[in-house]
């Protein structure tokens, strides 16, 4: 299963530390400088659980559409409504928002359930087929 690089957890301090929410086997990202860092390279090279890092071609955001959509929602719902004095303050606000996004925010594409509710319904075999009309 591939994840998108924005699902990495980055901690400050003497330098960024990357940890990944597993069991992903790879990350797809744009070509941002953070994905050239030694910390990210070490995460991908872990011998027990190596990760494949796939970079999308430059100027092709449609190849990373899910995370681009999430970033748009994050900007609309959080960044445009708050001012942050410190990195730590922003980091905490984003962590709280991601928790809200995954556990309580209803998603139209998930039958008006949160991702957590949808996953539980899927595991329990309670999802109804979706009819798509063209």
């Amino acid at each position: 299963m591939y994840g998108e690089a924005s699902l990495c957890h980055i901690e400050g301090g003497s330098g960024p530390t990357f940890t990944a929410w597993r069991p992903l086997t790879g990350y797809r990202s744009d070509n941002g400088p953070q994905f050239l860092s030694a910390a990210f390279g070490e995460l991908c090279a872990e011998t027990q659980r190596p990760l494949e890092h796939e970079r999308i071609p430059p100027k092709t955001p449609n190849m990373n559409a899910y995370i681009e959509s999430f970033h748009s929602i994050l900007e609309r719902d959080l960044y445009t409504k708050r001012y942050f004095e410190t990195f730590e303050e922003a980091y905490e606000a984003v962590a709280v928002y991601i928790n809200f996004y995954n556990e309580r925010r209803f998603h139209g594409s998930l039958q008006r359930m949160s991702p957590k509710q949808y996953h539980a319904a899927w595991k329990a075999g309670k999802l109804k087929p979706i009819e798509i009309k063209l």
Side-chain angles (χ1 to χ4, degrees):
M1 174 203 281
Y2 256 72
E4 293 176 329
S6 291
L7 296 179
C8 285
H9 173 71
I10 306 171
E11 294 180 0
S14 61
T17 302
F18 290 84
T19 57
W21 293 301
R22 305 296 181 155
L24 302 176
T25 59
Y27 287 104
R28 176 179 298 143
S29 75
D30 60 14
N31 295 287
Q34 65 272 35
F35 303 113
L36 301 176
S37 74
F40 186 75
E42 289 170 10
L43 172 69
C44 291
E46 285 182 0
T47 55
Q48 292 179 329
R49 293 184 292 191
L51 297 172
E52 179 182 345
H53 182 208
E54 175 185 336
R55 289 181 175 89
I56 64 169
K59 300 180 182 177
T60 58
N62 58 321
M63 294 190 71
N64 224 9
Y66 294 114
I67 202 63
E68 294 292 336
S69 176
F70 173 75
H71 286 163
S72 173
I73 292 166
L74 184 64
E75 182 173 358
R76 182 192 69 214
D77 291 354
L78 183 64
Y79 298 150
T80 61
K81 296 178 181 177
R82 298 261 320 259
Y83 176 78
F84 303 106
E85 294 282 336
T86 66
F87 173 80
E88 290 77 16
E89 184 183 348
Y91 184 86
E92 178 63 27
V94 170
V96 168
Y97 185 80
I98 289 173
N99 182 58
F100 164 74
Y101 184 89
N102 286 325
E103 301 206 4
R104 296 187 316 276
R105 183 181 182 274
F106 297 131
H107 296 248
S109 63
L110 300 179
Q111 301 179 16
R112 303 290 302 154
M113 290 184 254
S114 71
K116 182 178 182 178
Q117 292 168 322
Y118 189 86
H119 184 256
W122 174 77
K123 283 178 67 175
K126 294 182 179 179
L127 293 178
K128 296 176 183 173
I130 300 171
E131 182 179 328
I132 298 174
K133 296 179 182 178
L134 301 177

